[in-house]
Amino acid sequence: MIMKKNSLYIWLLGVSFICSSCHDFFKESSQDEIKPSTVEDLRSVMYKEAYPYQFASDNYLMLLTDEMQCNGLLIDQYATQHANGTPVFTFNPMMFDGGEVFPDVDVNSWKIYYEKIKGCNVIIDYVSEVSGTEQEKNALLGQATLLRGFYHLKLAMIYCQAYTASGVDPKTALGVPLMLTMDLTDDYPERPSLEALYSQIEQDFLTATSLLEENYTPDNVYRVGSVAAYVLLSRFYLFRGGDEDLDKAIQYAGMAIEKGPMLSRLSMLMGTDKSIYDSDMSSEVVWCYGGYSFKVNTYFPTDAYQSIVPWSVSTELLSLYTTNDLRDDIYFQSFTAGPGGVYGEKIGLNSSYGGDHGIRMAEAYLNRAEALARRFQAKGDGNDRVQALDDLNTLRETRFATGTYVEEEVTDAQDLLDFCLNERRLELCCEEGFRWFDIKRLGLSVTHKYIDSEGVEREYVLESNSPLYALPIPYDAIERNYKLKQNPR
């Protein structure tokens, strides 16, 4: 049976993936032609090729934000990590122009996400060909369609301007190529408008939600179901940001809160080696994937417990947590030596499974609170203010030491939105690229103090509404597709 499944993978997914050309998107290298015949066969393919487990990507996005700081090169054995992070941290517009500038192993998001989209499309296109009940087939279709929308949204968060950013017209701003079939074609994909890209992502999310509601309930946190779809829809509509979108963000976040798990109380994690993504202790995990971000040795030395590392969580971020806020202890780990010795820890350091990527219930509360705060700012309905505050206070109470939290009361619309955005920064730090995308959609500038290998300090600034908000597409993707337009830089 194992040999048969391996042959299936070779026949179906034995391809040479090239980052931009549909012409080369699927290249068969058939060994034999054992085709999937059952839902079980196709499910196995989906778990391996469409789901993102054992997955490392996007960790470099933290180095673009105010979440990280540079400590210089104080120990020569960390020279590689220091060099790898330098072009990103210094906002070098050539950061993706070759392996000598940017490491390609496990961190080329363009390549990684399109490979996963390819796997999703295999499931979507092939599911009607296999035997099984309609419910089983629709369960596969729902999962694969949701994941495809998720990956396209991730690509948009990295390589596109934010939908609501200043000066951006979604009708003319560039999206990323939409890959919606596994069929071979000689056409090279072009970049659609941002509006068209978001429209397709919305369609995928809504289609998947309907399929998952009616046909599938995951039995563990490593599979996506309807609650994951609700949270992703609330994220999507918040990011798109129109008036009707805010209403929908509130609606879907509310559905997730109603039907999803309870928030975790961080007091229950104190004194353990567990953190917020350890689902055996944390109740709020909706979906979990990947590994521990700070064990990706490209930037973060994994043997650094007694040493000062080149890149670490910024003292600016750490200073924002107040007395009795347990996130300061649960979400970070400190090294014993000197300044710059803090890593993020959204999953326990010694966890042997799972990762610190995915979806948590905290995001649903934050998405709804921000949408309500923005609607209150626009329309002045006091009920929106009250509900936004209730969401924020409900979340924050679970983050503080037992019996210490005092509810916040905010009446001014701008102050409420600022409170919400600050809480988002504190809760979603070092996770899923949220801070990078929030910087983009809020039009924030970022100032970095960089220390080179000789100890010389320089300042680098990412200006507000910078062209680099849309990161450059990796050079090899541009090289292989003459129709693929590079982002301004």
Side-chain angles (χ1 to χ4, degrees), residues 80-220:
T80 299
Q81 286 81 15
H82 183 267
N84 287 345
T86 291
V88 185
F89 192 81
T90 59
F91 311 118
N92 184 342
M94 312 301 286
M95 64 178 72
F96 297 158
D97 283 8
E100 72 279 2
V101 179
F102 186 77
D104 191 48
V105 179
D106 291 333
V107 291
N108 186 331
S109 299
W110 185 275
K111 178 178 180 180
I112 289 172
Y113 285 126
Y114 276 117
E115 284 180 338
K116 289 299 175 184
I117 289 171
K118 172 192 67 183
C120 294
N121 285 333
V122 168
I123 306 306
I124 293 167
D125 289 357
Y126 211 81
V127 69
S128 63
E129 304 294 323
V130 300
S131 66
T133 68
E134 286 303 303
Q135 182 176 5
E136 290 172 326
K137 293 180 183 182
N138 285 335
L140 295 188
L141 187 59
Q143 292 172 79
T145 304
L146 187 71
L147 290 171
R148 185 174 72 179
F150 171 74
Y151 298 134
H152 277 122
L153 184 59
K154 293 285 281 188
L155 286 163
M157 291 170 67
I158 298 169
Y159 299 109
C160 303
Q161 293 287 347
Y163 204 91
T164 56
S166 175
V168 172
D169 180 358
K171 294 182 182 296
T172 57
L174 292 176
V176 295
L178 284 162
M179 297 300 181
L180 304 176
T181 180
M182 62 174 279
D183 290 342
L184 290 168
T185 175
D186 289 328
D187 293 335
Y188 289 86
E190 299 183 60
R191 299 181 67 178
S193 69
L194 195 60
E195 182 180 62
L197 172 64
Y198 270 65
S199 179
Q200 180 60 50
I201 294 169
E202 178 183 28
Q203 181 179 325
D204 274 356
F205 282 168
L206 291 173
T207 298
T209 299
S210 178
L211 289 166
L212 293 169
E213 284 175 330
E214 297 175 7
N215 297 282
Y216 181 66
T217 300
D219 58 7
N220 60 64

Side-chain angles (χ1 to χ4, degrees), residues 283-386:
S283 61
E284 71 180 58
V285 182
V286 175
W287 178 43
C288 180
Y289 71 91
Y292 175 28
S293 295
F294 290 85
K295 282 186 178 178
V296 177
N297 202 43
T298 305
Y299 310 109
F300 308 112
T302 56
D303 60 348
Y305 301 109
Q306 304 296 323
S307 307
I308 299 175
V309 293
W311 316 104
S312 62
V313 176
S314 70
T315 54
E316 176 194 358
L317 173 59
L318 295 172
S319 70
L320 298 177
Y321 295 93
T322 57
T323 303
N324 295 318
D325 190 335
L326 300 179
R327 290 175 292 198
D328 192 17
D329 294 313
I330 299 294
Y331 291 177
F332 307 98
Q333 59 162 313
S334 299
F335 303 138
T336 58
V342 177
Y343 276 177
E345 191 177 25
K346 290 291 184 75
I347 192 166
L349 179 63
N350 297 316
S351 295
S352 58
Y353 63 93
D356 56 5
H357 302 68
I359 297 172
R360 299 186 288 117
M361 288 306 301
E363 185 192 348
Y365 283 86
L366 290 166
N367 290 349
R368 187 167 71 174
E370 182 181 339
L372 285 162
R374 291 187 181 280
R375 199 167 70 177
F376 172 58
Q377 191 174 49
K379 299 181 178 180
D381 186 340
N383 290 326
D384 286 344
R385 182 191 71 85
V386 170

